[in-house]
Each structure stands twice: as structure tokens, then as C-alpha cells.
Amino acid sequence: MLYESSSTSNFSLNTLSANGLKAILAVLGGLVFMLSSCVSSKEVVYFQGASAANDSILVAAPYVPLIQPADVLSVQINSLNPEKSVIFNPYAAVPGTAATPATTGSLPAPVGYIVSSTGEITIPLLGPVKVSNLSVEQAGLLIAEKLTRFLKEPTVDVRNLNFRISVLGEVARPALFTIPNNRISIIEALGLAGDVTIGGRRDNVLVVREENGAKKFARIDLTQRDLFRSPYYYLRPNDIVYVEPGKVRLAATDRTYQVLPIVLSAVSILSIVLTRLL
């Protein structure tokens, strides 16, 4: 009889333990269900619109940045006289060919010619050269023309080291990026940042731009093909791209803060009960 009583007691405890475990799993499952939400494909698919196989759309004209005072320029000079060309290249570092994110809390000081308040840079032997309000291609041609007095068939590569953009919000890798080729679209910028997360709003991406001392705010809908016509499709130096969190993400976050304390309390109580019974 004692053996039967002991078996019955162990069976009851095991049953209670199993029921307790099921209860914990049920609570956790309910939490996952409450926090999960469905996202419509229309909210995440890019470039929706025409369905024809060979449809096309006219893209906005590429933005050509002009050199401004306080810009930092990389000027690389080459010619058929390599020994003489060295004199005109005090900044030997050549900028990279890929956009790079800033990895520290402060911006690295770019090495190059700083455009003065009068719009000029001073090149060894050549002296001051006015480059403000010129594109980098135009500045390169102007400097090459002036160098013909000293070098044979000079070629000049000018790049603006101040071309930076910020990509923030619901992206995989938010960062400040330096763009070496001085041209980038909003799609390329988001690609550098690892794309928009599943919780980000693709239909309402904010672009902040400064023009004539004033901040301008524009909204871009990545889900529609009309974005290619937007004057904000090509980004400009110091533009900020911000991706908002979607309603699903916000709702899930709110539910987490509301439900998590209750779940943790329930799990703690069940754990205490099971510990005392076993």
C-alpha cells in the first residue's frame, strides 16, 4: 500500500510538473502571437507600378555638385613628366573608390585643399586657382590648362572629399557615408546602409536637405516607380535620409512593454510553485 501511495504521489507530481511546463509554454506562445503581426507585400515591395515586361520610366537628371567655400578637394596631378608632377602633389593620399561609413564618434580630418572663403585653392608653383561654383570636372580642366606652363600634357583628377550623406532610422546599418565619386541615388544610399528593415516604412522615407540656408523636407515612396522622377532621387552633399518605423514595429514595441512584465511575473510564480512541489 505504501508503494502504491508513493507511485500515486510521484505520478501526481509529474502530472503537475508537466501541466506547469505546458502553462509556461502557453504563456510564452501567447506572447509571441501578440507581438507578431503580418506585413502586407504592398508595404515592402519596391518599384510597384506598370506590369508590362518592357516598361520604362524617365529618370530625374543626375545632380552635379558645385564646389563651394570650405569644401575639401583632392587634386591628383599626372603628366608625361612624372618627376615634375610630384611637386604639384603635396597630398599624396588618393581617396578610395568605395563609399565608406564613419566608424568613430568624430569625423576624420580629410587631407586635401581647403577651398577658401574667396573660392580659391593654392597649388604649389601654380598659386591661387578659383574653383568655386565649378564642378570637379571643370575644376580639373581649369587646373590642367594652367599647368601646361610647367608640365607636358598634364591630367588632373579632382574630387570633393566633403560629399557625405547620413542614413538613419529603420535600416540595417545606419551610418554617415563618404561618397568618393560625388554621385549617389537614394536607392544606392539605402543599399550601403543594408536596406530598410522589415519594420521600416518604405512608403514615406524622409530626405532632409539644406538649400540657401534653409532646411527642406521631402517624402519619398520607395514602393512606387515615380521615385525615379523625384528631384530627391539623387542625393546631395550633407543630405539626411531617415526611414521611419512602421505601425507594426511601433505596435509590437508597445505590446512588449505592456505584456512583458505580466509574462515575467507569471513565469516566476509558476517556477516557484514547481520548485516547491518537486
Side-chain angles (χ1 to χ4, degrees):
M1 296 295 295
L2 291 176
Y3 176 78
E4 292 179 357
S5 176
S6 177
S7 298
T8 302
S9 176
N10 289 336
F11 176 77
S12 299
L13 290 176
N14 289 336
T15 302
L16 183 59
S17 177
N19 291 336
L21 180 60
K22 290 180 180 180
I24 293 176
L25 293 176
V27 171
L28 294 177
L31 175 62
V32 172
F33 177 79
M34 293 182 66
L35 297 181
S36 62
S37 299
C38 295
V39 178
S40 170
S41 62
K42 290 185 177 181
E43 299 178 49
V44 297
V45 175
Y46 292 101
F47 319 137
Q48 299 174 48
S51 57
N54 297 317
D55 60 312
S56 61
I57 190 170
L58 185 64
V59 180
Y63 168 70
V64 179
L66 300 181
I67 299 171
Q68 299 297 324
D71 281 349
V72 181
L73 303 181
S74 166
V75 180
Q76 298 295 319
I77 298 171
N78 296 287
S79 72
L80 296 180
N81 313 105
E83 298 81 6
K84 293 183 179 180
S85 299
V86 174
I87 301 174
F88 298 93
N89 289 297
Y91 304 107
V94 178
T97 57
T100 54
T103 56
T104 60
S106 59
L107 292 175
V111 178
Y113 294 95
I114 299 178
V115 182
S116 68
S117 59
T118 58
E120 298 175 325
I121 59 174
T122 302
I123 297 176
L125 294 183
L126 198 59
V129 180
K130 191 172 183 63
V131 294
S132 61
N133 294 320
L134 299 178
S135 68
V136 291
E137 290 83 3
Q138 291 171 333
L141 292 174
L142 175 62
I143 296 170
E145 180 183 353
K146 293 180 177 294
L147 284 171
T148 54
R149 293 184 295 159
F150 306 95
L151 301 173
K152 187 176 182 180
E153 296 186 20
T155 59
V156 182
D157 177 33
V158 179
R159 300 189 186 187
N160 191 338
L161 303 181
N162 270 13
F163 199 118
R164 299 189 180 100
I165 58 167
S166 301
V167 185
L168 308 173
E170 286 294 325
V171 292
R173 296 184 299 273
L176 174 67
F177 296 93
T178 299
I179 312 302
N181 62 350
N182 297 163
R183 179 179 296 178
I184 189 170
S185 69
I186 188 171
I187 300 300
E188 293 168 327
L190 292 171
L192 290 175
D195 202 2
V196 180
T197 66
I198 194 64
R201 289 193 62 179
R202 290 162 173 78
D203 62 340
N204 199 31
V205 177
L206 175 66
V207 178
V208 182
R209 176 173 296 170
E210 183 171 343
E211 290 184 352
N212 301 320
K215 294 290 186 182
K216 291 188 175 182
F217 302 84
R219 300 283 179 172
I220 303 294
D221 186 352
L222 301 178
T223 66
Q224 300 299 317
R225 298 185 185 184
D226 287 342
L227 76 95
F228 293 102
R229 298 192 184 99
S230 171
Y232 291 85
Y233 174 70
Y234 284 104
L235 299 178
R236 301 186 182 185
N238 301 315
D239 275 0
I240 300 171
V241 179
Y242 174 66
V243 181
E244 297 180 1
K247 294 181 180 179
V248 172
R249 177 67 178 270
L250 293 173
T253 302
D254 290 342
R255 286 196 294 268
T256 298
Y257 285 112
Q258 295 171 359
V259 176
L260 189 58
I262 299 174
V263 172
L264 292 177
S265 299
V267 171
S268 298
I269 294 171
L270 288 173
S271 299
I272 294 172
V273 172
L274 291 175
T275 301
R276 291 182 177 179
L277 291 175
L278 295 179

